[in-house]
């Protein structure tokens, strides 16, 4: 990248702003190994070179994409990693994958080729008081990329003139309709761990399969947020996760949710069931078969809760602040932000 060009630091804030300008979701809606060959091939390249965990069901996914018209037919189209250890360059990468590994949305990333180039650049950056978050502290060359610039995105969002879109060709175990954010495929609910990551800036939900495949998804992307406040489903699952962690695996009961009506409890469970099925593409029930309003409901997947990055501060209305549940502030928050959520999605 020429230094005369406008300098772009492709952090999440830059990416999110680009998406907002176009009225799009912050992250690419096709970012998943089941949904996009570019994403899958980039993930595979990192895994096979030891830069990340290997892709789960790699052979199955490779077979799926090789049958697709989207699969690259020339070597130049594949994501590649070249160079010696510590001096690698990454070419033709999915920006979503690059961000998850290197924290920058880019298709091309070159490490410094030697210590002399690196030290000269560091001196210049120090003289200019460049932010430590700038990509130039890590790479000599970087090409920013937003997902709308990706050739796969253009194809996947096209109309196909009435033909079936590649992302509509479901694998076994997936439901029809919208593309799952974290497809489980043939994996079981018991293989999945859902962790709520709480910080002062955001609430993120991590979906993970046995420490091998994971995705961090914001409440906004999940549709679990309304005007910056968590929806009822987020509050219910986060509370359940917190109690699960502190009290060990347990059933979700009416008392835990402070619910007094059986019909309302069934609606809340139904909402959780439906949303988890949509996110994973699984048609089977994420709850065990013995659930009822009297004895409670048990999720088959594991829940976890991590608030190590959160400090309560002085905001009494923060949904995860440790305030008196009998206080007027808490009740007002529940009534305004959670308790009156419409049930039209049930």
């Amino acid at each position: 990248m020429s230094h005369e060009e406008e300098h772009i630091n492709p952090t999440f804030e830059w990416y999110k702003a680009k998406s907002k300008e176009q009225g799009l979701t912050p992250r690419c809606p096709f970012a998943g190994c089941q949904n996009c060959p570019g994403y899958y091939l980039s993930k595979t390249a990192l895994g096979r070179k030891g830069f990340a965990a290997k892709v789960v069901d790699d052979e199955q996914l490779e077979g799926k994409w090789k049958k697709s018209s989207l699969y690259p037919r020339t070597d130049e189209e594949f994501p590649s990693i070249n160079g010696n250890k510590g001096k690698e360059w990454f070419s033709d990468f999915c920006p979503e994958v690059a961000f998850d590994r290197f924290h920058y949305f880019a298709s091309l990333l070159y490490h410094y080729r030697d210590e002399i180039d690196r030290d000269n650049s560091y001196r210049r950056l120090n003289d200019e008081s460049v932010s430590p978050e700038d990509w130039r502290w890590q790479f000599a060359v970087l090409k920013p990329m937003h997902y709308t610039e990706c050739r796969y995105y253009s194809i996947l969002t096209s109309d196909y003139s009435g033909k079936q879109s590649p992302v509509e060709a479901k694998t076994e175990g997936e439901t029809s309709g919208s593309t799952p954010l974290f497809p489980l495929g043939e994996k079981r609910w018991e293989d999945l761990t859902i962790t709520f990551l709480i910080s002062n800036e955001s609430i993120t939900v991590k979906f993970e399969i046995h420490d091998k495949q994971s995705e961090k998804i914001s409440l906004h992307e999940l549709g679990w947020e309304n005007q910056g406040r968590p929806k009822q489903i987020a509050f219910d699952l986060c509370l359940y996760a917190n109690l699960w962690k502190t009290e060990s695996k347990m059933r979700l009961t009416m008392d835990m949710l402070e619910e007094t009506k059986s019909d309302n409890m069934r609606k809340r469970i139904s909402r959780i069931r439906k949303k988890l099925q949509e996110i994973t593409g699984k048609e089977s029930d994420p709850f065990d078969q013995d659930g009822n309003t009297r004895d409670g409901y048990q999720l088959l997947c594991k829940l976890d809760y991590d608030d190590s990055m959160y400090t309560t501060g002085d905001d009494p209305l923060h949904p995860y602040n440790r305030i008196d549940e009998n206080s007027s502030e808490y009740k007002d928050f529940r009534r305004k932000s959670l308790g009156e959520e419409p049930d039209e999605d049930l």
Side-chain angles (χ1 to χ4, degrees), residues 171-290:
T171 58
E172 182 179 353
E174 293 183 358
T175 60
S176 60
S178 60
T179 304
L181 292 173
F182 189 78
L184 283 183
E186 296 182 355
K187 295 296 182 181
R188 304 175 306 156
W189 286 110
E190 289 85 350
D191 298 324
L192 175 66
T193 299
I194 302 174
T195 304
F196 282 80
L197 306 173
I198 314 299
S199 72
N200 291 72
E201 291 75 26
S202 64
I203 299 168
T204 306
V205 186
K206 182 171 74 170
F207 294 80
E208 185 173 27
I209 300 176
H210 296 322
D211 297 324
K212 295 181 180 179
Q213 178 185 354
S214 66
E215 294 284 347
K216 295 179 181 179
I217 309 176
S218 69
L219 293 187
H220 177 77
E221 292 173 282
L222 291 169
W224 294 0
E225 185 180 81
N226 182 25
Q227 296 182 346
R229 291 290 192 183
K231 287 187 176 181
Q232 182 77 57
I233 183 174
F235 193 91
D236 288 349
L237 280 175
C238 194
L239 175 64
Y240 190 15
N242 192 18
L243 292 172
W244 187 317
K245 181 175 182 178
T246 57
E247 304 293 339
S248 74
K249 186 175 180 178
M250 61 191 338
R251 304 185 74 82
L252 185 60
T253 64
M254 293 179 65
D255 287 342
M256 289 167 57
L257 297 182
E258 298 180 348
E259 185 58 72
T260 59
K261 297 181 179 180
S262 297
D263 286 347
N264 288 346
M265 181 66 177
R266 281 190 285 268
K267 286 181 178 180
R268 290 164 81 166
I269 294 299
S270 177
R271 181 186 290 113
I272 294 172
R273 176 184 295 113
K274 179 180 178 181
K275 292 300 183 183
L276 291 182
Q277 288 173 332
E278 288 177 355
I279 291 165
T280 62
K282 297 289 286 185
E283 293 181 342
S284 59
D285 195 339
F287 288 97
D288 68 7
Q289 299 302 310
D290 300 324

Side-chain angles (χ1 to χ4, degrees), residues 126-187:
N126 272 315
D127 291 342
E128 297 174 2
S129 299
V130 172
S131 167
E133 296 182 358
D134 194 287
W135 61 262
R136 290 172 292 181
W137 289 105
Q138 187 174 355
F139 298 101
V141 177
L142 182 146
K143 182 180 179 181
M145 184 178 185
H146 188 264
Y147 68 79
T148 51
E149 302 171 59
C150 171
R151 64 180 182 275
Y152 293 115
Y153 176 79
S154 297
I155 298 171
L156 292 170
T157 53
S158 65
D159 187 20
Y160 278 83
S161 300
K163 297 180 181 180
Q164 187 182 39
S165 165
V167 296
E168 292 175 339
K170 302 295 178 183
T171 58
E172 182 179 353
E174 293 183 358
T175 60
S176 60
S178 60
T179 304
L181 292 173
F182 189 78
L184 283 183
E186 296 182 355
K187 295 296 182 181

Side-chain angles (χ1 to χ4, degrees), residues 50-61:
F51 286 93
K54 291 186 177 180
V55 174
V56 177
D57 297 330
D58 193 356
E59 292 184 5
Q60 178 185 345
L61 287 165

Side-chain angles (χ1 to χ4, degrees), residues 1 5-18 99 102-106 109 125 130-139 142-145:
M1 174 179 286
E5 297 177 12
E6 178 189 2
H7 178 68
I8 295 174
N9 198 36
T11 61
F12 179 69
E13 292 304 316
W14 171 82
Y15 203 71
K16 183 170 65 173
K18 291 274 288 184
F99 177 80
F102 303 110
H103 311 297
Y104 300 106
F105 291 97
L109 307 97
L125 295 173
V130 172
S131 167
E133 296 182 358
D134 194 287
W135 61 262
R136 290 172 292 181
W137 289 105
Q138 187 174 355
F139 298 101
L142 182 146
K143 182 180 179 181
M145 184 178 185

Side-chain angles (χ1 to χ4, degrees), residues 12-38:
F12 179 69
E13 292 304 316
W14 171 82
Y15 203 71
K16 183 170 65 173
K18 291 274 288 184
S19 300
K20 186 176 181 180
E21 288 174 3
Q22 302 175 69
L24 300 171
T25 57
R27 302 284 295 266
C28 177
F30 303 111
C33 290
Q34 292 272 10
N35 308 328
C36 174

